[in-house]
Amino acid sequence: MRNALILALAIPTLAMAAAEKQQGLSVTYSAGGKSDTTTSRLAALYVSKSSPSTPFLPKGPFKAKMTGDITVPLRGEYTFAVEVRGQVKVSINGQEILDAAGAAAAQYADKTVQLTKGANPVVVEFFNDNEEDALLRLDWWSKEFPREPVPPTVWTHTPDVEGAKVREGRMLFATRHCASCHDGGAAIVKDGTGMPEMLATAPDLIDAGARFKQPWLAAWIENPRAIRPDATMPHLPLTKAQAADIAAYLATTGKPVKAEVKPADETVLGKGAGHFGNLGCVACHTAPDVTEADRENNRILLAHVGAKFQSGTLAEFLKMPGMHNPWTRMPNFRLTDDEAAELSAYILANAKAEFPDVKGDAESGRKLFAANCAACHQTTEPAPAPKASALAAVIAAGQKGCLSEKPDKAPDFGFTVAQREAVVAFLKTDLLSLKQDAFADFAERQIHHMNCTACHPRDGRQSTFQIVEGELAALTANAPHPEGQTEGNTVPATAVPHLTWLGEKLQPGWSGSFIAGAAPYKPRPWLASRMPGFGAPGVGIANGLAFQHGLPLTDAPQAAADKVVTEAGHKLLGADGGFNCVQCHAVKDVAATAVFEAPGINLAYSTERLRAGYFRRWMLAPLRIDPDTKMPKFSDDAVATQITDVLEGKADKQFDAIWQYLRTVK
Ligand code: HEC
Ligand code: HEC
Ligand code: HEC
Ligand code: HEC
Ligand code: HEC
């Protein structure tokens, strides 16, 4: 009776929780008799025939059923078009509107329908037999705007709890290094063909004594989360004295060098604070004098950093954060020696947390290290790590040991209830997902893990950088202004490009090396901020972003254009009888003529950076892509332009001619 009452009360709340809509679409993939539900930002997909559609399903033929609502502000006529390699059916408001199939070349079909004001339920059913790479893109247009992919911001769906849970559990399993202690046997491959994050290691502790101060080491070992609430290193079952012993041992591994640190005067400190604001450190970190974690914005504390790093080593860390930790989430800003020294001086002058002096027994520490730390960390001396229960026993145990509410004899990762449930849900799967991965999933995980939206606005949401913009004035108050300016920065630090369309915009090859930090130039030299390098995951993120937008990794090769066309393109770029693009855009070595209008990117980079399809879409309607852009529209109706004497005044022909000309500029 009582249970029935509780049940009756519980049902409405569950129903309410389940009804909470989120942005994007819900997608259920099925293959080999299994299914997996996840969220997609767009009604689009690209799956290479040599990889699975999602990490949780076997390779081979698959189905994908996408459901979501398109919300429009007003009743009106919209045309939908689908491009497909595979078979697809699209229905809107219960009516089938498109049914198309394509093989080697993608098939295209379109249909005009009425959408009602408010939510219009859409169902997209897709099948691919795995003979070719699978491809799907749903576009739309109306009288108000030219053809574009249906944007992420108009979709809403009811999220699937289970799919999100196993994904979170899988990521926790990898990033918390469970398999370092709990041997997974054949379930885990270490040859790079599995889930990439399984290859990530904890930072190495080679020469730890030369880099870290002993009192900080002891405090960190005793309880990492007391120093940094975001720490992923577990709290281990050690006493204060044992932690002090291990710190004493680590202090013997490497001697601190007496670094010559220049006294930090006002100018240096002002510059350092300026970099901290302008470069975007402030988007991921609270200022070094702040001692309360900013959980709301997911920012990492730096107050302890003065007590952590040995003299001179903070600047080294800032210049190369991946030196001892190749999978670090702290990106590489390619700082100059001066920038690193200025930032370091500013942080050290303000990071005031202190830790008590402790003495310990290094010999006892050495043994404790081998027993407690060597599974995750490498030092100068190799130590074989003892193993805990095998993975099979962990799976059978459920919420025990490390997964119990309050671990006492096992490592404590500080998991929330939801996180523990997520790991358990993941461990109940067949663990196939540890042996394989899919780029689109990888990109989404890493964008979250690496916190790209700290700086980039995405899918209609502000970046953290924009949210905390108010802190910039104080940070940059004593920083020098750029040459030739009496106040402010060139372009505000927070004007970082939107991440939303980058998967469609950029050539994955270029984008991957840019995200990794290997691109040789800065496309927007006028920006006060800078894109830092994220190392190894860069290529996978770029590939996955392209796949999320339903695009292959490379465009089909284009034939060289006719000379008449390239010459027309050249003319259209210029001031004389053209659009005067060169007013804002440099082209190769020729500087823009009126740069202060609104600087644009050097167009000589366009064809190596951009995909042809995006260039066209951008030229037709820049504001549909970036609502903040200063780039003007050159065709009001996306059909004709003001320049009537070149290529019949047709917008698409003229913009293509510009593209063809740009292909000749190398
Ligand atoms: C540093 C080594 C280490 C890491 C990393 C680690 N564990 Fe453990 N785990 C232990 C030890 C030690 C125990 C307790 C003794 C034992 O079960 O072998 C334990 C126990 C467990 C148990 C109970 C096993 C049983 O047989 O009762 C579970 C479940 C568990 N861990 C899950 C996890 C998960 C999930 C992760 C990753 C989030 C993880 N562990 C990471 C060392 C580790
Ligand atoms: C995209 C987010 C991001 C940005 C931007 C960023 N950091 Fe970090 N930083 C991190 C993360 C995450 C860590 C923790 C290291 C890890 O988990 O791998 C970290 C670690 C650090 C540490 C060491 C903290 C410790 O406890 O050892 C310092 C110092 C630091 N960052 C300074 C900076 C400075 C200075 C800048 C700007 C030039 C900056 N960070 C920009 C994410 C970021
Ligand atoms: C489950 C794996 C794991 C175990 C076990 C572990 N650590 Fe860590 N440790 C990490 C990770 C991951 C980090 C990076 C910071 C973070 O995310 O918490 C870290 C960071 C550190 C750092 C700072 C390194 C740097 O470059 O900033 C030290 C020092 C350290 N650990 C010492 C130890 C010691 C000593 C032990 C044993 C008592 C130990 N760790 C056990 C995973 C582990
Ligand atoms: C510290 C702030 C910051 C973080 C964090 C950051 N970015 Fe950027 N990103 C920028 C800035 C600034 C630019 C513009 C750089 C330029 O053009 O010179 C940029 C540009 C880019 C571009 C090129 C866009 C274009 O149109 O040229 C890509 C792609 C990109 N970022 C992806 C990422 C990804 C993926 C992540 C996370 C792994 C990330 N960014 C994290 C600041 C950041
Ligand atoms: C009033 C200044 C202005 C004029 C005139 C202008 N643009 Fe732009 N353009 C911009 C701005 C601003 C951006 C966005 C830069 C950014 O992403 O930070 C841009 C971006 C672009 C891009 C994307 C570049 C990339 O690599 O990301 C292309 C391509 C482009 N413009 C082409 C043109 C062409 C072709 C013309 C002439 C038909 C033109 N623009 C005229 C200001 C201008």
Side-chain angles (χ1 to χ4, degrees):
M1 187 59 205
R2 234 191 110 160
N3 279 348
L5 190 67
I6 290 171
L7 216 70
L9 286 172
I11 283 165
T13 34
L14 275 177
M16 266 157 60
E20 211 165 285
K21 298 259 178 175
Q22 280 180 12
Q23 196 168 291
L25 298 94
S26 173
V27 195
T28 299
Y29 289 91
S30 24
K34 300 203 297 176
S35 70
D36 171 38
T37 303
T38 181
T39 297
S40 181
R41 299 169 52 233
L42 297 143
L45 59 79
Y46 193 96
V47 177
S48 146
K49 64 180 177 189
S50 58
S51 58
S53 49
T54 92
F56 297 92
L57 297 180
K59 292 174 197 163
F62 70 91
K63 279 190 196 150
K65 182 175 179 183
M66 306 182 165
T67 50
D69 293 347
I70 291 182
T71 301
V72 288
L74 287 173
R75 181 186 157 82
E77 230 172 45
Y78 293 80
T79 307
F80 286 84
V82 68
E83 207 150 329
V84 62
R85 220 188 271 150
Q87 298 164 24
V88 71
K89 283 194 172 113
V90 180
S91 67
I92 298 188
N93 290 321
Q95 294 278 310
E96 186 175 301
I97 62 154
L98 291 168
D99 181 351
Q107 178 67 39
Y108 169 86
D110 69 39
K111 169 98 175 179
T112 302
V113 296
Q114 282 283 333
L115 292 186
T116 54
K117 184 181 169 193
N120 297 265
V122 178
V123 179
V124 180
E125 281 173 287
F126 175 83
F127 172 72
N128 181 276
D129 62 10
N130 202 44
E131 292 292 316
E132 302 277 348
D133 290 1
L135 173 156
L136 173 69
R137 286 199 301 275
L138 183 69
D139 290 355
W140 70 345
W141 63 91
S142 79
K143 284 198 203 69
E144 315 295 319
F145 59 89
R147 181 171 172 185
E148 64 181 18
V150 185
T153 42
V154 308
W155 291 107
T156 51
H157 72 287
T158 311
D160 178 79
V161 181
E162 198 55 29
K165 234 185 194 177
V166 293
R167 276 176 173 70
E168 188 188 1
R170 177 178 182 246
M171 193 60 177
L172 288 169
F173 185 85
T175 57
R176 302 314 192 257
H177 309 284
C178 308
S180 299
C181 296
H182 299 294
D183 193 345
I188 291 158
V189 289
K190 284 279 185 191
D191 61 357
T193 60
M195 178 188 186
E197 290 89 341
M198 290 298 290
L199 293 177
T201 49
D204 77 53
L205 297 180
I206 291 166
D207 281 343
R211 295 184 283 132
F212 307 132
K213 294 178 182 166
Q214 196 172 334
W216 174 83
L217 275 170
W220 174 264
I221 295 164
E222 196 191 333
N223 187 359
R225 289 193 300 282
I227 295 177
R228 250 178 52 195
D230 66 290
T232 61
M233 164 159 158
H235 178 193
L236 294 160
L238 296 166
T239 63
K240 210 182 187 67
Q242 286 174 318
D245 288 352
I246 300 174
Y249 159 64
L250 286 176
T252 66
T253 65
K255 278 230 162 345
V257 237
K258 271 266 165 285
E260 227 185 282
V261 182
K262 282 194 220 114
D265 58 35
E266 288 300 312
T267 321
V268 168
L269 294 178
K271 284 184 179 173
H275 301 318
F276 194 84
N278 285 333
L279 292 179
C281 314
V282 70
C284 288
H285 296 286
T286 45
D289 55 347
V290 174
T291 52
E292 280 289 317
D294 176 10
R295 285 179 186 274
E296 198 177 326
N297 296 311
N298 188 22
R299 290 192 293 172
I300 296 170
L301 284 175
L302 292 177
H304 61 280
V305 166
K308 171 174 178 176
F309 288 92
Q310 296 281 14
S311 171
T313 60
L314 174 58
E316 269 171 45
F317 166 82
L318 294 174
K319 281 189 70 176
M320 229 201 267
M323 174 85 151
H324 293 276
N325 188 5
W327 277 79
T328 183
R329 291 175 302 144
M330 164 72 188
N332 185 332
F333 283 82
R334 290 181 299 282
L335 301 172
T336 63
D337 289 342
D338 282 346
E339 287 170 338
E342 287 151 6
L343 271 165
S344 162
Y346 159 70
I347 294 173
L348 294 177
N350 292 284
K352 294 289 190 208
E354 286 178 13
F355 301 94
D357 245 338
V358 283
K359 295 237 166 350
D361 173 17
E363 200 36 50
S364 141
R366 178 195 309 269
K367 294 190 193 103
L368 286 164
F369 185 90
N372 291 282
C373 322
C376 291
H377 292 290
Q378 191 194 345
T379 54
T380 335
E381 326 165 57
K387 295 279 179 200
S389 6
L391 191 56
V394 165
I395 294 168
Q399 298 205 6
K400 297 219 183 87
C402 306
L403 291 179
S404 57
E405 200 183 332
K406 196 88 206 77
D408 50 0
K409 292 191 189 62
D412 177 359
F413 291 87
F415 288 144
T416 61
V417 175
Q419 285 178 318
R420 288 193 283 129
E421 284 173 0
V423 177
V424 170
F426 166 67
L427 290 173
K428 281 191 188 140
T429 68
D430 61 10
L431 305 189
L432 173 68
S433 63
L434 293 176
K435 292 197 208 176
Q436 60 175 27
D437 203 29
F439 278 136
D441 258 74
F442 178 75
E444 209 48 35
R445 295 200 296 279
Q446 286 292 325
I447 284 170
H448 183 71
H449 185 64
M450 296 294 187
N451 202 2
C452 307
T453 55
C455 297
H456 290 279
R458 189 185 193 210
D459 294 351
R461 292 189 202 95
Q462 280 199 310
S463 66
T464 316
F465 210 178
Q466 291 172 323
I467 293 169
V468 304
E469 190 170 7
E471 294 174 28
L472 284 182
L475 285 169
T476 55
N478 297 318
H481 304 302
E483 251 176 83
Q485 270 179 263
T486 47
E487 55 183 86
N489 293 297
T490 34
V491 170
T494 48
V496 176
H498 292 244
L499 194 56
T500 312
W501 297 109
L502 295 186
E504 179 200 345
K505 173 180 185 178
L506 298 167
Q507 296 283 355
W510 186 87
S511 179
S513 72
F514 189 68
I515 301 169
Y521 56 86
K522 185 171 164 28
R524 300 171 184 77
W526 60 85
L527 264 186
S529 48
R530 179 185 307 172
M531 167 71 182
F534 288 84
V539 171
I541 295 176
N543 293 353
L545 278 174
F547 281 8
Q548 289 186 356
H549 290 257
L551 289 166
L553 298 184
T554 48
D555 289 329
Q558 277 184 303
D562 195 291
K563 197 145 187 254
V564 180
V565 172
T566 56
E567 271 166 14
H570 192 184
K571 179 176 177 187
L572 288 165
L573 272 184
D576 186 10
F579 295 113
N580 201 7
C581 315
V582 295
Q583 176 194 350
C584 304
H585 290 281
V587 183
K588 211 175 171 180
D589 304 327
V590 185
T593 55
V595 137
F596 293 112
E597 277 295 303
I601 294 166
N602 192 321
L603 294 180
Y605 299 140
S606 293
T607 54
E608 71 170 24
R609 277 166 46 77
L610 310 179
R611 300 188 85 134
Y614 176 90
F615 173 82
R616 199 187 127 89
R617 178 153 99 82
W618 170 259
M619 294 308 301
L620 289 172
L623 283 165
R624 289 292 296 180
I625 292 180
D626 177 358
D628 305 323
T629 193
K630 301 263 171 20
M631 161 106 170
K633 187 153 105 170
F634 293 94
S635 168
D636 281 336
D637 57 359
V639 176
T641 70
Q642 304 273 325
I643 296 181
T644 49
D645 60 342
V646 184
L647 298 168
E648 303 144 51
K650 290 200 170 127
D652 58 348
K653 285 201 171 165
Q654 293 181 346
F655 297 151
D656 183 58
I658 294 179
W659 178 257
Q660 296 306 338
Y661 168 69
L662 292 175
R663 286 178 67 206
T664 68
V665 183
K666 282 277 148 67

